[in-house]
Amino acid sequence: MSAPTGPARSAGPVTGGWATGEDAVLVVDFGAQYAQLIARRVREARVYSEIVPSTISAAEVRARNPVGIVLSGGPASVHVEGAPRLDPAIYELGIPVLGICYGAQLIAHQLGGEVAQTGRGEYGRTDVTLVDGGGRLGQVLPPQQSVWMSHFDAIVSVPEGFSVTARTEDCPVAMLESPTRQLYGVQYHPEVVHTPHGQELLVRFLVEVCGCRQNWTMTNVIDHATENIRVQVGKGRAICGLSGGVDSAVAAALVHRAIGNQLTCVFVDTGLMRLGEADQVEDTFHRNFGIDLIHARAADRFFGRLAGVTDPEQKRKTIGELFIRVFEESSQGIDDARFLVQGTLYPDVIESGTATAAKIKSHHNVGGLPEDLDFELVEPLRSLFKDEVRRIGSELGLPDEIVWRQPFPGPGLAVRIIGEVTRERVAMLQLADAVVREEIHKAGLEREIWQAFAVLADIRSVGVMGDERTYGHPIIIRAVTSEDAMTADFARLPYDLLEKMASRIIGEVRGINRVAYDVTSKPPGTIEWE
Ligand code: XMP
């Protein structure tokens, strides 16, 4: 490994869309969190999509040559000064545009229709009725359907040349279109699950209106990524830090497919992984895939450094620093490595522009690598969403336990132990955590639950087991449902399941005499306990 002298350089997207010849759709982001969901739904229709800011100019759009444009919803009112607008020349490019919610209002507002504050906004489930058979876009939809609305302003008259193709009881224009100008608008949110026929509407727009070929398939993505990695790395050597998590695992498998033994993976074994996880990494990557793997067994060093450390931030810092040192030492033998493989995903790329996202990232990068390593980055997952990464992982033959692995913090079980992190306490937590995961798996709840794990608290309480008085520690079970970890709800686990977990944990883990279930959502809590 070369000396850390300059910033790691990203080579930009290597898998998606324009780089590889798939038809591509631009999703213009007008704020809130709708754009990512729309982009994912477009991908689900096997059409490549990319999110762009609302400040994009017509010339920039033309340069990208998309087959369609979707305008997202957003929190603003078109009447507010400074509310985001679309460069009006984009409407004249002849590229089909679909405006959703705020996007639809913007089309009406910018092209001469009227958007008014009717005082009767619509929120939640609403019935929509087609007008004149639904027009070009809506003709595949049922004459009446339930949709998800979330708007205060309403379009009350459409621009010249447009027709109204759907309405609701309170809103005279729920859909509008001008097929000759290739401009379409829908007031409701077709991208959310609460609009059962939403995906049909999006597919209709993409396939019939835009003429998209549905060629964004994971097999194509794998083929293109393989080719691109070969071109980028040439005969060079690459290093990949494996954490056992799905992103780095899929990135490593993909790069290995492309360049074989020019890749060396480094797995820093902190001793803070879950039960059996270190062996699983070794089995999967070294034994099954035949990947050149350096397994740095550094548990003793981590426990040495963590002795006496109880402050959560200090724990993270201690682990982060030692992790980097061990990674650097382990990769020292790989002299000529110039490339570093990273499992960066598309949401990281989108969010890296905003200040709050930057803060979240630095928190999550604990246990990751510093930015000042002198490597060129290979980021084969840069244009992909998590569900796509999972599909690629499965296609590449990675086991379900890795592909469907729940998010796990970089500093590992250390953030789930309140108080000092010792080898003995980690061993206790590993056993309890294995019970929680096993029971969730047996109950078939794994994919419904975002994360389920055990936490070890550093308090003790009196209990009674057999005829004996005990004075032991509690285990706290934490299980949450979530879309993106930004917010989370505690999972409504069945009592029988909780009882089974509790009795197994107390029976199988010495020193535990009580089990509690955390019923806090995020906010106000966080997912982890530290
Ligand atoms: P909190 O506890 O802040 O966690 O609600 C939100 C999500 O982030 C995960 N998490 C981490 N992930 N490195 C990571 O890669 C970290 O240091 C880290 N800390 C928390 C947590 O598991 C949850 O999914």
Side-chain angles (χ1 to χ4, degrees):
M1 186 163 101
S2 38
T5 50
R9 298 175 304 276
S10 169
V14 292
T15 39
W18 286 274
T20 54
E22 273 97 12
D23 287 344
V25 162
L26 290 181
V27 178
V28 182
D29 184 1
F30 285 102
Q33 285 179 349
Y34 299 112
Q36 272 204 43
L37 192 52
I38 297 169
R40 274 171 49 197
R41 296 283 178 249
V42 172
R43 301 259 188 112
E44 277 167 25
R46 289 184 284 122
V47 174
Y48 181 70
S49 62
E50 224 171 75
I51 298 172
V52 292
S54 59
T55 47
I56 192 165
S57 69
E60 286 164 336
V61 169
R62 200 181 307 110
R64 286 168 172 252
N65 197 24
V67 283
I69 299 170
V70 182
L71 312 181
S72 84
S77 159
V78 293
H79 296 296
V80 170
E81 215 187 296
R85 299 267 182 269
L86 191 70
D87 176 353
I90 292 176
Y91 298 121
E92 311 303 330
L93 291 173
I95 300 167
V97 177
L98 172 65
I100 294 176
C101 193
Y102 180 80
Q105 294 178 2
L106 207 53
I107 292 176
H109 180 72
Q110 289 189 293
L111 300 179
E114 195 189 341
V115 177
Q117 288 179 352
T118 58
R120 299 173 69 173
E122 293 171 306
Y123 298 94
R125 253 177 250 287
T126 311
D127 281 334
V128 160
T129 307
L130 295 185
V131 175
D132 288 340
R136 171 135 198 247
L137 188 63
Q139 60 186 257
V140 289
L141 302 172
Q144 193 148 34
Q145 57 160 329
S146 171
V147 303
W148 191 259
M149 287 280 192
S150 178
H151 66 108
F152 187 67
D153 290 354
I155 303 169
V156 289
S157 76
V158 298
E160 212 181 301
F162 277 75
S163 48
V164 177
T165 52
R167 60 174 169 74
T168 69
E169 205 173 302
D170 286 329
C171 177
V173 186
M175 279 171 70
L176 70 161
E177 66 176 38
S178 166
T180 42
R181 295 179 70 179
Q182 307 242 67
L183 302 177
Y184 299 81
V186 50
Q187 181 61 67
Y188 61 85
H189 287 276
E191 74 276 22
V192 304
V193 286
H194 310 289
T195 300
H197 296 280
Q199 189 67 3
E200 280 160 65
L201 178 121
L202 286 176
V203 170
R204 171 88 184 154
F205 173 72
L206 296 167
V207 178
E208 298 305 323
V209 175
C210 303
C212 290
R213 294 165 297 163
Q214 293 170 288
N215 51 5
W216 177 251
T217 64
M218 293 307 108
T219 316
N220 282 346
V221 172
I222 292 172
D223 288 347
H224 291 314
T226 306
E227 192 49 42
N228 287 325
I229 294 163
R230 283 187 187 138
V231 169
Q232 187 189 356
V233 178
K235 295 208 178 314
R237 288 201 63 78
I239 299 183
C240 177
L242 276 183
S243 66
V246 56
D247 305 341
S248 64
V250 174
L254 204 48
V255 172
H256 181 252
R257 183 182 194 267
I259 60 168
N261 60 12
Q262 286 163 257
L263 170 73
T264 300
C265 288
V266 177
F267 170 51
V268 177
D269 189 347
T270 58
L272 303 167
M273 306 285 284
R274 296 181 295 184
L275 197 67
E277 226 155 31
D279 289 340
Q280 188 190 37
V281 169
E282 173 112 27
D283 273 353
T284 304
F285 293 95
H286 188 58
R287 300 206 184 92
N288 297 355
F289 275 76
I291 290 180
D292 182 25
L293 176 73
I294 297 174
H295 184 161
R297 291 170 211 275
D300 288 343
R301 289 173 70 184
F302 279 88
F303 287 122
R305 283 290 182 81
L306 287 167
V309 180
T310 54
D311 176 69
E313 283 305 304
Q314 193 55 38
K315 272 186 214 169
R316 281 181 173 272
K317 202 161 170 266
T318 306
I319 295 166
E321 282 168 8
L322 185 55
F323 185 97
I324 291 160
R325 179 131 347 119
V326 175
F327 183 89
E328 283 180 330
E329 287 168 13
S330 309
S331 41
Q332 227 128 45
I334 318 163
D335 299 327
D336 50 349
R338 199 160 64 76
F339 298 93
L340 182 69
V341 179
Q342 297 236 298
T344 317
L345 303 193
Y346 191 40
D348 305 329
V349 176
I350 302 165
E351 284 162 16
S352 61
T354 70
T356 39
K359 223 184 280 156
I360 295 162
K361 280 233 64 92
S362 69
H363 162 70
H364 282 194
N365 270 344
V366 176
L369 295 171
E371 284 174 5
D372 62 352
L373 294 176
D374 188 20
F375 285 115
E376 185 176 319
L377 295 183
V378 180
E379 299 178 295
L381 314 178
R382 252 182 97 81
S383 1
L384 303 176
F385 288 108
K386 192 89 169 187
D387 49 327
E388 295 172 321
V389 169
R390 291 206 159 108
R391 272 153 53 207
I392 288 179
S394 294
E395 258 184 62
L396 291 172
L398 287 171
D400 275 3
E401 299 87 74
I402 287 185
V403 167
W404 288 99
R405 191 178 187 263
Q406 293 176 345
F408 188 60
L413 294 178
V415 299
R416 296 176 183 170
I417 292 179
I418 316 297
E420 191 184 6
V421 180
T422 63
R423 193 183 279 282
E424 296 68 35
R425 301 191 78 207
V426 168
M428 269 168 113
L429 183 58
Q430 280 178 331
L431 291 176
D433 183 71
V435 169
V436 172
R437 289 188 294 130
E438 230 175 272
E439 292 302 326
I440 291 279
H441 176 74
K442 279 199 230 156
L445 292 173
E446 230 161 17
R447 294 194 190 175
E448 274 169 47
I449 284 176
W450 176 265
Q451 274 171 292
F453 54 85
V455 172
L456 180 62
D458 67 344
I459 49 172
R460 291 210 280 174
S461 69
V462 173
V464 57
M465 280 169 90
D467 292 332
E468 298 264 321
R469 177 185 183 277
T470 59
Y471 191 48
H473 295 283
I475 280 286
I476 295 136
I477 297 175
R478 182 72 166 141
V480 296
T481 54
S482 176
E483 282 280 311
D484 53 11
M486 304 293 281
T487 59
D489 198 5
F490 78 87
R492 270 55 174 179
L493 296 185
Y495 282 154
D496 289 352
L497 178 60
L498 287 169
E499 185 188 16
K500 183 91 196 288
M501 288 176 180
S503 63
R504 276 196 60 194
I505 290 170
I506 292 169
E508 294 173 28
V509 189
R510 263 181 88 89
I512 303 296
N513 67 348
R514 222 175 257 270
V515 173
Y517 187 51
D518 181 357
V519 292
T520 324
S521 292
K522 173 184 178 177
T526 55
I527 295 177
E528 300 291 345
W529 276 57
E530 48 189 305

